[in-house]
Amino acid sequence: MPLNEPLENGKYYHIYNRGINSDVIFKEKRNYEYFLKLYDNHIEPVAETFAWCLMKNHFHFLIRIKDTDEITTTKKIAPSQSFSNLFNAYSKSYNKSYNRHGPMFERPFKRKLILNEAYFQNLITYIHNNPVHHAICEHPINYPWSSYITCISEQKTKLKRKEVIAIFDDVENFKIVHQLKINDISDDFFLDYT
């Protein structure tokens, strides 16, 4: 799928990107929190989120673009534009906070269409195990900036937790599959940075 192809209603995507030259895009806790707040403001009205992970220099989201009649924004804009608005708003704030200038993210942001349930399940484990893959922690439960903890908890969330757990049959199997796949991550299968 071409990297700048528009996001289509009703379809599932792996959305990912990184800082220009793999630069840091999240320096401290408040950066992660602010990005998630902006994500909620810009993306939640146009997409459902199934998994996410924010890393120091990149991020991953597994989303479904809502059908037109499900979109809750009063101003009808393309879902791709919602993501651009998120990245622009975050960049402006980050640049102001750190006396920085210029774009932060590679353009266009990356997207990969998800076509089957097996890939969908593997992508969830890939996203949650990203901090393990990058040697930040030994298990995804130890990393605060992903949806893993939300998936195994009962805390209130907009994350499509029930649907995620259903793909793994139950919470226990969700945990087992994530443990089994900790050392079984291949970026090449999930990413395309060409």
Side-chain angles (χ1 to χ4, degrees):
M1 166 178 207
L3 292 176
N4 57 354
E5 187 171 308
L7 299 171
E8 294 181 45
N9 298 96
K11 296 201 174 168
Y12 294 81
Y13 294 92
H14 178 197
I15 303 291
Y16 58 100
N17 208 351
R18 62 184 173 196
I20 288 179
N21 299 319
S22 294
D23 285 349
V24 168
I25 54 177
F26 305 109
K27 285 188 178 189
E28 51 192 306
K29 180 181 177 184
R30 69 185 173 108
N31 301 141
Y32 293 96
E33 290 171 342
Y34 188 62
F35 186 88
L36 290 173
K37 179 182 175 189
L38 289 173
Y39 181 90
D40 194 44
N41 291 342
H42 290 280
I43 307 307
E44 196 278 326
V46 300
E48 298 171 326
T49 305
F50 293 83
W52 60 271
C53 185
L54 305 182
M55 304 289 288
K56 276 193 175 288
N57 68 349
H58 67 281
F59 59 81
H60 299 272
F61 289 96
L62 169 49
I63 63 158
R64 176 190 162 269
I65 301 299
K66 294 178 180 178
D67 288 322
T68 308
D69 61 341
E70 298 174 287
I71 293 178
T72 58
T73 59
T74 54
K75 195 170 149 184
K76 297 294 180 192
I77 58 172
S80 297
Q81 186 61 51
S82 294
F83 277 96
S84 293
N85 292 347
L86 161 66
F87 305 144
N88 288 335
Y90 182 75
S91 296
K92 285 179 186 175
S93 172
Y94 188 93
N95 285 349
K96 186 175 180 182
S97 290
Y98 297 105
N99 251 348
R100 187 186 175 282
H101 301 282
M104 288 184 63
F105 299 101
E106 291 187 352
R107 289 188 179 170
F109 68 90
K110 313 303 185 278
R111 78 252 358 231
K112 188 168 183 178
L113 183 62
I114 299 165
L115 297 172
N116 64 63
E117 191 173 300
Y119 184 87
F120 188 91
Q121 184 188 56
N122 285 322
L123 181 58
I124 291 168
T125 57
Y126 170 78
I127 289 172
H128 289 151
N129 278 313
N130 213 253
V132 177
H133 177 64
H134 290 286
I136 293 168
C137 59
E138 292 184 9
H139 191 281
I141 200 165
N142 300 319
Y143 191 73
W145 304 112
S146 87
S147 55
Y148 181 87
I149 295 169
T150 303
C151 285
I152 62 171
S153 77
E154 293 185 16
Q155 66 186 350
K156 186 178 176 185
T157 182
K158 292 179 182 176
L159 185 78
K160 303 307 275 181
R161 175 176 47 221
K162 284 182 184 176
E163 292 84 347
V164 169
I165 296 304
I167 287 176
F168 293 87
D169 296 325
D170 57 39
V171 173
E172 288 312 309
N173 196 48
F174 173 89
K175 292 176 185 178
I176 290 167
V177 171
H178 278 72
Q179 184 63 42
L180 292 173
K181 301 226 177 189
I182 277 181
N183 296 315
D184 190 27
I185 293 178
S186 170
D187 285 341
D188 296 339
F189 186 66
F190 294 102
L191 307 178
D192 180 12
Y193 273 112
T194 56

